[in-house]
Amino acid sequence: MKSKIVIFVAIVMLIAIMGYMAWDLFLSAPPEAKNPWEYKLSDLKRVDSSIPNYIEMKPFKPEMEEVHGVDVDMSGTIYVVGKNRVEIFSRDGNLKNSFPISGIGTCITMRNQLIYVGILDHIELFNISGDRIKRWKRTAPGSVITSIAVNGNDVFLADAGNKMVYRYTAEGKLLNRIGQKDTVQNIPGFVIPSPYFDLAIGKDRTLWVVNPGRHSFEHYTMEGHLLNSWGSASNSTADFCGCCNPTNFTLLNDGSFVTSEKGIERIKIYSNEGVYRELVATPEMFAEGVKGLDLAVDPQGRILVLDPAKNQVRVFVRK
Amino acid sequence: MPTRRVFLQNLIRGGILAGLGLLTGSLVFRSRKGGTCRLNISCNVCSKNGSCTLVPAFETRQFVWQLDPSKCIQCGRCATECVRTPSAVKCVHVYAMCGYCDLCGGYFKPDTKTLNTGAENQLCPTSAIKRSFIEDPFFEYTIDENLCIGCGKCVKGCGAFGNGSLQLQIRHHLCDNCNECAIARKCPAGAFSRIPATSPYLLRGFGKQPLSGDKPGEPESF
Amino acid sequence: MFRISREFWLLLLLMLLAGSSFAIQRFPRPEFETGYQQPDTMLPGPRAEIMAVVDLAVLILALSAVSWMVLKKRSRKGVFWVSMFSLVYFGFYREGCICAVGSVQNVTLALFDQTYPIPLTVLAFFIIPLIFTLFFGRTFCAGVCPFGAMQDLVAFRPKTINSKVDAALGMIPYLYLGLAVLFAATGTDFVICRYDPFVGIFRLNTGFSMLLFAAILLLTGIFIARPYCRYLCPYGVLLNWISRFSYRHMTITPAECINCRLCENSCPYGAIKIPNSVKYAETRRRRVRKLMFITLLIPFLMVGGGWAGSRLQETFAGVNRTVKLAKELLVSDQNGQDIESFEIKAFRSSGKPLTEVYQEARIILHRFLIGGWILGAFLGLTTGLMVAGKLLENHQSDYVPDKGACLSCARCTDYCPVMRNTMPTELNHKA
């Protein structure tokens, strides 16, 4: 009799085990969406969305796989470069022309009827129909060209790989280097932790260059003398966040700076003396983790923002 | 006297042997797409992806589990789901990608006022990252694996604000190499896969492409 | 003397190779002026490949040893010690993974998914025990499987289970095998590994629920000997079938059975077939009626089972992660989201289009439909055959092990008084 009870209990236990297996496999609830070690970036990014004085208009949609650079010329034509292609748009967003390039384009600038395209470690020059005029040699081994600026007979290349700005003539002859660490002249040297290094031509034959690791803008003459610099680091809206920001910038007609950052993705405007003025676009408008929001300003003052996550050129206009 | 029964028995035995032989043959000598398989493993990933995305395996085709940092969303399950306690997943520092920044996005909490090694400033719940000064303005960050639990907080910070040189990886001297990885089951991004044991790590460079040692001079693409 | 084994050098070489690939300069390495040397990212490698071959060699040796112990030496003690060695090696040292039981899933996955290259050692772990079983019976179960060894350790008070209950419970391994194959074939999960009771003990590192699972099973195992082996093990189904056709299965008596009945209660698993009558005759009519019943029953069970299996399509498919994601996305689309699960977050950041997920889920659901029919029909067939086996019992004159169910543990040999080399007497010689 006792035997029978024992057998019965044992069999019940066995069936219970099988029942548990079936329940766990088919009926158990999905795992919780709670991460005990969550790092809430969204808290950092929360900004009152009514603050910006800019509204977004209809974007341009280039047809390439990846977009990396944008520029506007003096007539308002928009040039976009990305993976293996350059596309040219008219002011109202119609595709005017497009042509292939021999690699991944990282930056683009259009001046003097020539399109300067940075392709990883060197630049190539094209005319507006897309024929390649010239291919320049790379600046030095390990070069990564992240920005090009042209002013008359001077071509400036920002080389993030060698952490240097190079000045060339329009024919391609190297004139001088800018930004090399020099304790006598108080030039701190560029700290470039990630491949984002932008520059732009300023007023009176000067050059503005971002020093991303030091979160500052440095003002050089074209011969390489450091004039002044501004910029500070923190997560607040008035400063540059993270380890290396801003990633891109452009200058408005009055000399004020439009900057874009990664980490806390936002577009801001600073006065021509480096005082924070206002927000153009908040982090909510961008996909989390997007990097390389290249900027350009067209003659009407519209701010064009390249969005690599959405593969678009987004347009912001003052209210 | 050999009967019909014995004959049938021998027939079935032969059938079983033949069946097992067929099974072995079909799984060992799989057809290779295009005949140019460089890997000797005949897995046909090339026919699925259009090109071979694996690295060579040894003859016994041993595979191990690994997670792909480019898919990882740092959900924290690597720390809780591993059958081992503490988890076999640890944060790995790819020094080659690190910017050595003063304000490290993976080390410091976002609202840190002074950049020092105080525990109250650190993101890491177990203070597993060690910060040491090298020269102005560079700091070295190393991970103490005995303390790291694989939660991914630093990975998220480094990925958002920095270069993404901190990546979660399964450490193979700790991993049991289960037939079905328990973390792989629960990973929301499906970042886990079996890769050849001869190349057991999947580290990602800029632009999320794999870091490999065979192209020294070329600059990294975006 | 300290000797460095070949495996050590191989492991060291692998580690060095893995670690050295990051000595190369990569953008954007800062320029260090103080002579700081950037450290290499350490990448320790996994267990050396050669060790998997060593495992295979140990498997073959253990199988040979136990088969010899069972068939030649007929020694229960020998089988016991081989099984203890297997418990230590395959259980605690290798931590129960990779095992022959789980290899069923790997083989299934390899057959259905062209992109899964099955490691050759796993294939060997599947095939080799089957081959030994074809020649010598289920000696794998007796002396090599660590699960069996674990359960043997606790089988203090084995009780006899009623044969009908035993037959009913004996259907569960077929269900488990079918589900394991179904889930492996659809690339959903390895359920055998998921519900592996002893792996936590082997690892000496386990969560509470796993420990409880193992404890209950072992507790049951005190009174029902080898419960996992008899009523759960999916690999046991294959071993059972193959063992029935084995060339040289173990016998209780080394020569002729003298019907002394001493072995009757010696088998803790109830695997001994007992003689059922001196003269047993069934009228032809009854037999024909039974056969007709069986001929009708089996197709009925197969169709019924297949239909039931197809009805369970959604339940089965719900285990698959793609189907789960598709369901979640569907629900969140309709209701709007309050808290987004990680699965949805990851999906959104992957950039995959919604339609692709739905399409994949649909294909998988369809595979589960077909799989459900096949699983159900398979279970119907096996249940029908089991019933047929019970109905059509044959005349049994000697005490012999049930070739399918006998685990070749050799306990019964200790009870048999017959000496080897006994000449068969006229009396025992049956036609």
Side-chain angles (χ1 to χ4, degrees):
Chain A
M1 194 53 210
K2 193 166 131 190
S3 225
K4 284 225 169 115
I5 298 179
V6 167
I7 296 177
F8 179 72
V9 171
I11 293 182
V12 165
M13 289 210 299
L14 200 60
I15 307 231
I17 286 186
M18 297 172 190
Y20 166 73
M21 285 162 66
W23 172 84
D24 183 77
L25 187 59
F26 298 120
L27 300 171
S28 60
E32 283 183 31
K34 275 212 68 168
N35 176 4
W37 304 284
E38 187 167 0
Y39 183 1
K40 284 197 125 133
L41 288 175
S42 51
D43 287 344
L44 291 171
K45 298 187 184 182
R46 218 178 296 129
V47 178
D48 187 354
S49 54
S50 67
I51 291 182
N53 292 324
Y54 282 79
I55 51 171
E56 189 176 351
M57 311 296 285
K58 191 161 164 308
F60 296 81
K61 298 203 176 124
E63 284 196 2
M64 30 186 138
E65 265 178 67
E66 299 164 6
V67 290
H68 291 299
V70 68
D71 193 30
V72 182
D73 71 11
M74 292 195 282
S75 65
T77 315
I78 292 129
Y79 302 82
V80 183
V81 71
K83 189 168 177 183
N84 303 326
R85 285 191 83 66
V86 169
E87 289 185 13
I88 305 175
F89 294 85
S90 68
R91 268 214 314 254
D92 30 358
N94 300 320
L95 180 68
K96 268 170 50 176
N97 191 9
S98 82
F99 55 88
I101 55 176
S102 63
I104 299 181
T106 48
C107 49
I108 189 167
T109 254
M110 199 285 198
R111 287 288 179 277
N112 311 331
Q113 304 297 312
L114 282 174
I115 305 177
Y116 295 75
V117 180
I119 302 178
L120 279 185
D121 60 352
H122 64 279
I123 70 169
E124 294 181 12
L125 280 63
F126 297 82
N127 66 14
I128 30 188
S129 338
D131 309 310
R132 192 168 80 175
I133 311 289
K134 213 160 174 210
R135 182 195 196 277
W136 287 21
K137 282 202 316 257
R138 61 181 181 184
T139 56
S143 59
V144 179
I145 310 297
T146 49
S147 191
I148 309 173
V150 181
N151 185 29
N153 204 31
D154 295 302
V155 176
F156 296 88
L157 301 183
D159 181 351
N162 288 305
K163 309 187 205 307
M164 189 74 67
V165 174
Y166 295 90
R167 179 181 171 214
Y168 290 84
T169 65
E171 283 77 44
K173 178 160 158 277
L174 178 65
L175 291 172
N176 53 288
R177 294 187 179 76
I178 302 174
Q180 190 147 26
K181 180 167 173 177
D182 188 339
T183 35
V184 173
Q185 288 198 55
N186 273 336
I187 299 178
F190 294 118
V191 179
I192 308 186
S194 53
Y196 302 102
F197 185 30
D198 208 355
L199 49 63
I201 309 276
K203 291 198 162 72
D204 302 328
R205 284 181 51 82
T206 59
L207 197 63
W208 282 101
V209 188
V210 180
N211 193 338
R214 300 201 190 269
H215 306 90
S216 65
F217 280 87
E218 293 175 359
H219 197 192
Y220 290 92
T221 67
M222 292 191 174
E223 288 69 38
H225 301 298
L226 178 62
L227 297 167
N228 56 312
S229 67
W230 63 270
S232 52
S234 85
N235 281 337
S236 81
T237 325
D239 289 329
F240 298 117
C241 67
C243 68
C244 31
N245 266 314
T247 55
N248 302 83
F249 80 104
T250 193
L251 294 169
L252 295 174
N253 280 338
D254 58 356
S256 28
F257 298 82
V258 188
T259 66
S260 73
E261 291 163 72
K262 63 171 167 70
I264 303 178
E265 300 86 10
R266 54 195 177 193
I267 317 270
K268 304 186 302 211
I269 298 190
Y270 288 77
S271 76
N272 56 357
E273 277 153 14
V275 175
Y276 169 70
R277 207 160 72 196
E278 61 183 341
L279 207 56
V280 174
T282 58
E284 288 145 1
M285 299 181 181
F286 297 100
E288 189 174 316
V290 67
K291 294 181 182 176
L293 299 164
D294 201 8
L295 297 167
V297 178
D298 78 356
Q300 285 102 358
R302 293 189 306 175
I303 298 181
L304 302 171
V305 180
L306 188 77
D307 189 337
K310 292 192 172 167
N311 246 33
Q312 291 173 353
V313 176
R314 297 164 74 169
V315 183
F316 292 84
V317 165
R318 215 196 162 83
K319 278 190 201 160
Chain B
M1 190 169 74
T3 59
R4 196 169 42 192
R5 184 187 192 157
V6 172
F7 173 72
L8 250 129
Q9 263 189 341
N10 283 329
L11 198 68
I12 295 185
R13 285 173 186 155
I16 292 175
L17 277 172
L20 291 177
L22 216 75
L23 183 69
T24 313
S26 72
L27 291 182
V28 172
F29 304 108
R30 281 209 132 128
S31 69
R32 297 169 188 174
K33 168 97 176 168
T36 50
C37 176
R38 61 183 177 92
L39 300 182
N40 276 338
I41 59 174
S42 318
C43 70
N44 278 324
V45 163
C46 50
S47 61
K48 206 165 148 187
N49 296 341
S51 67
C52 181
T53 57
L54 301 179
V55 291
F58 274 170
E59 290 311 301
T60 56
R61 304 186 198 164
Q62 296 302 311
F63 281 74
V64 293
W65 289 96
Q66 194 49 270
L67 80 99
D68 184 349
S70 64
K71 294 189 182 150
C72 174
I73 62 165
Q74 299 95 38
C75 66
R77 287 185 191 162
C78 281
T80 53
E81 296 298 324
C82 183
V83 292
R84 296 221 79 99
T85 322
S87 171
V89 175
K90 304 272 180 206
C91 181
V92 168
H93 196 189
V94 184
Y95 295 102
M97 280 177 73
C98 182
Y100 288 79
C101 301
D102 192 3
L103 210 186
C104 176
Y107 183 83
F108 285 110
K109 282 196 179 138
D111 46 1
T112 312
K113 299 283 181 280
T114 18
L115 302 180
N116 59 28
T117 54
E120 68 280 2
N121 295 332
Q122 295 181 31
L123 268 181
C124 180
T126 55
S127 295
I129 309 184
K130 308 291 174 219
R131 177 184 201 251
S132 54
F133 180 72
I134 303 176
E135 58 189 54
D136 177 67
F138 300 125
F139 287 80
E140 181 193 62
Y141 297 90
T142 51
I143 299 172
D144 182 352
E145 283 207 354
N146 295 325
L147 294 173
C148 177
I149 57 171
C151 70
K153 222 167 162 183
C154 60
V155 177
K156 187 154 194 190
C158 177
F161 293 109
N163 291 343
S165 62
L166 292 171
Q167 300 174 8
L168 285 177
Q169 289 283 275
I170 296 180
R171 299 304 254 164
H172 286 297
H173 61 297
L174 301 170
C175 175
D176 284 336
N177 203 15
C178 300
N179 206 10
E180 174 91 26
C181 176
I183 317 176
R185 255 188 218 121
K186 291 278 163 66
C187 173
F192 284 75
S193 57
R194 292 177 174 96
I195 60 173
T198 43
S199 171
Y201 289 90
L202 278 175
L203 296 172
R204 293 291 171 186
F206 295 102
K208 310 212 164 167
Q209 92 281 53
L211 274 178
S212 67
D214 45 2
K215 291 210 178 106
E218 265 178 51
E220 295 266 353
S221 75
F222 286 48
Chain C
M1 255 316 274
F2 177 63
R3 291 182 71 191
I4 301 178
S5 64
R6 189 142 48 107
E7 291 96 85
F8 173 82
W9 286 119
L10 205 64
L11 187 61
L12 190 65
L13 182 67
L14 275 173
M15 281 171 59
L16 286 173
L17 281 174
S20 66
S21 58
F22 287 94
I24 295 150
Q25 177 173 356
R26 290 270 159 203
F27 175 93
R29 204 181 79 158
E31 314 283 305
F32 295 114
E33 285 159 7
T34 53
Y36 163 78
Q37 281 285 59
Q38 189 177 75
D40 284 333
T41 307
M42 274 294 117
L43 300 174
R47 192 170 183 252
E49 271 205 49
I50 196 83
M51 296 305 286
V53 182
V54 169
D55 288 341
L56 199 57
V58 173
L59 177 74
I60 295 177
L61 280 170
L63 277 168
S64 311
V66 75
S67 305
W68 185 65
M69 283 296 172
V70 171
L71 292 169
K72 269 275 182 300
K73 299 284 280 184
R74 300 172 55 80
S75 155
R76 167 67 200 151
K77 248 183 136 181
V79 172
F80 177 73
W81 286 114
V82 176
S83 80
M84 286 301 110
F85 165 76
S86 299
L87 180 64
V88 167
Y89 188 87
F90 292 111
F92 288 98
Y93 168 56
R94 293 300 299 123
E95 293 174 355
C97 190
I98 179 80
C99 75
V101 181
S103 66
V104 175
Q105 300 161 124
N106 298 65
V107 170
T108 311
L109 181 61
L111 287 172
F112 282 86
D113 182 356
Q114 290 289 317
T115 64
Y116 171 65
I118 184 170
L120 297 180
T121 45
V122 173
L123 184 59
F125 262 77
F126 177 72
I127 300 271
I128 291 178
L130 293 179
I131 296 199
F132 269 83
T133 305
L134 182 61
F135 283 88
F136 306 122
R138 290 174 76 165
T139 51
F140 170 79
C141 297
V144 179
C145 182
F147 281 21
M150 194 88 204
Q151 290 164 92
D152 260 349
L153 280 180
V154 298
F156 299 125
R157 295 265 177 276
K159 309 277 180 211
T160 322
I161 310 287
N162 175 302
S163 76
K164 290 199 177 61
V165 176
D166 181 82
L169 288 175
M171 284 293 107
I172 297 176
Y174 289 88
L175 176 63
Y176 202 10
L177 177 67
L179 284 172
V181 167
L182 178 64
F183 286 123
T186 52
T188 300
D189 197 0
F190 280 0
V191 290
I192 302 178
C193 298
R194 189 160 161 170
Y195 299 110
D196 181 339
F198 302 125
V199 71
I201 298 179
F202 292 149
R203 285 192 197 118
L204 303 171
N205 181 330
T206 171
F208 175 70
S209 59
M210 234 185 173
L211 191 62
L212 190 63
F213 191 56
I216 293 186
L217 196 63
L218 287 174
L219 201 61
T220 317
I222 298 177
F223 304 104
I224 302 181
R226 293 213 185 195
Y228 189 89
C229 304
R230 289 152 81 190
Y231 305 129
L232 274 172
C233 183
Y235 194 56
V237 170
L238 300 174
L239 294 172
N240 185 316
W241 291 344
I242 293 184
S243 181
R244 290 177 197 218
F245 300 101
S246 52
Y247 284 100
R248 275 198 65 185
H249 199 278
M250 74 154 283
T251 52
I252 306 177
T253 159
E256 293 266 337
C257 177
I258 57 173
N259 277 352
C260 67
R261 303 179 58 194
L262 283 169
C263 62
E264 219 172 75
N265 293 319
S266 62
C267 180
Y269 318 121
I272 296 180
K273 289 212 271 210
I274 291 180
N276 46 23
S277 267
V278 175
K279 279 201 183 350
Y280 181 95
E282 196 175 37
T283 62
R284 189 180 163 77
R285 197 171 164 173
R286 256 188 106 188
R287 195 126 183 131
V288 166
R289 286 238 306 261
K290 278 189 184 173
L291 281 169
M292 271 178 59
F293 171 66
I294 289 167
T295 331
L296 289 174
L297 179 70
I298 289 186
F300 172 74
L301 282 176
M302 284 178 74
V303 171
W307 180 84
S310 68
R311 291 277 98 202
L312 289 168
Q313 170 197 25
E314 293 236 3
T315 319
F316 291 153
V319 180
N320 182 292
R321 64 182 303 138
T322 312
V323 171
K324 264 198 250 196
L325 178 64
K327 273 194 202 163
E328 264 198 73
L329 286 169
L330 211 65
V331 166
S332 91
D333 252 359
Q334 292 167 353
N335 301 347
Q337 59 280 65
D338 27 348
I339 305 176
E340 251 189 9
S341 74
F342 284 122
E343 279 75 14
I344 296 190
K345 268 200 207 129
F347 166 72
R348 299 220 192 278
S349 72
S350 75
K352 213 174 177 185
L354 206 61
T355 48
E356 207 178 300
V357 176
Y358 288 149
Q359 179 67 2
E360 278 176 22
R362 232 173 277 132
I363 294 177
I364 293 174
L365 209 62
H366 182 71
R367 291 177 87 185
F368 271 101
L369 180 66
I370 300 179
W373 268 104
I374 297 177
L375 174 63
F378 170 70
L379 278 170
L381 175 65
T382 49
T383 312
L385 288 174
M386 182 269 289
V387 171
K390 286 272 168 242
L391 283 177
L392 301 173
E393 293 225 36
N394 281 323
H395 170 49
Q396 189 68 35
S397 64
D398 289 349
Y399 284 84
V400 288
D402 179 330
K403 280 174 103 173
C406 169
L407 304 179
S408 300
C409 72
R411 281 182 175 88
C412 51
T413 57
D414 287 345
Y415 289 73
C416 183
V418 177
M419 286 292 144
R420 229 185 275 264
N421 304 322
T422 308
M423 294 296 289
T425 65
E426 239 90 75
L427 215 66
N428 286 338
H429 189 77
K430 294 272 182 240

